[in-house]
Amino acid sequence: MRPLTEADTDWWVRLHADDDVNQFVGSYTHEQAAARLGAIQQQWAQRGHGLCAVELRSTGEAIGRSGLNWWEEFGETEIGWTFARAHWSRGYAVEAAQAVLGWGFDTLGLKQITAMIHHRNAAFVAVAHRLGFTPLREDTVLGRPCTVYALAREDFTASSRP
């Protein structure tokens, strides 16, 4: 995993162009992607965390993204993961999320991490449950209803770790 930068703009647009991928996270124009990646870089500079590209060790191919996102309006740090359709059901989301959670709790000292998951996204709910997340509240994120799941540092058990 490595921090995302504006140099990833074309890849970001391609990742989110697939309707199966973008149904819950949206698609991006080149300009929107560049702006989003610029905001991610700014978050890295200001908060010391952000989203990362997830790359295959064997080839260096970027297959998805995962990391932490600060939501000012909620006062929460959220974990997220999105992978190219060709790489679904291989355990990459769980593996990446476990690494991000360990980093967030152990290195950054976060007390709680949330996951904001749209109601119809059963695959994300399954990953969240596997990681130990439990429902915290119902909310609206980017104009869409979602369930906000939470995981406290003390509940991130040894079984949740990579």
Side-chain angles (χ1 to χ4, degrees), residues 69-71 74-78 112 114 116 136-137 148:
N69 185 57
W70 171 252
W71 288 84
F74 301 112
E76 296 172 352
T77 302
E78 175 203 24
Q112 176 179 275
T114 61
M116 300 172 188
L136 177 65
R137 69 176 186 278
V148 178

Side-chain angles (χ1 to χ4, degrees), residues 6-156:
E6 289 181 70
D8 294 303
T9 299
D10 291 338
W11 171 80
W12 183 278
V13 171
R14 284 191 310 274
L15 173 67
H16 293 90
D18 182 319
D19 288 340
D20 288 331
V21 172
N22 73 36
Q23 67 178 319
F24 300 111
V25 296
S27 61
Y28 290 80
T29 66
H30 191 271
E31 294 75 23
Q32 291 168 327
R36 177 71 176 114
L37 289 162
I40 290 168
Q41 282 184 268
Q42 185 176 18
Q43 183 178 326
W44 274 103
Q46 291 175 345
R47 301 196 70 82
H49 62 70
L51 294 177
C52 298
V54 178
E55 299 175 335
L56 292 175
R57 282 190 188 141
S58 60
T59 65
E61 174 192 2
I63 61 168
R65 63 177 176 89
S66 187
L68 298 172
N69 185 57
W70 171 252
W71 288 84
E72 188 69 40
E73 60 267 42
F74 301 112
E76 296 172 352
T77 302
E78 175 203 24
I79 188 171
W81 54 84
T82 300
F83 286 83
R85 177 73 180 100
H87 299 283
W88 289 4
S89 302
R90 297 185 184 190
Y92 294 133
V94 171
E95 182 181 354
Q98 286 173 327
V100 169
L101 290 168
W103 174 57
F105 289 132
D106 298 340
T107 304
L108 300 176
L110 298 174
K111 294 181 182 352
Q112 176 179 275
I113 297 174
T114 61
M116 300 172 188
I117 303 175
H118 296 286
H119 289 159
R120 296 182 335 265
N121 197 340
F124 274 44
V125 171
V127 170
H129 283 299
R130 183 166 176 197
L131 294 166
F133 281 83
T134 57
L136 177 65
R137 69 176 186 278
E138 294 298 312
D139 216 318
T140 301
V141 177
L142 302 176
R144 297 170 136 179
C146 70
T147 302
V148 178
Y149 292 79
L151 180 63
R153 179 181 7 196
E154 58 270 12
D155 294 330
F156 183 58

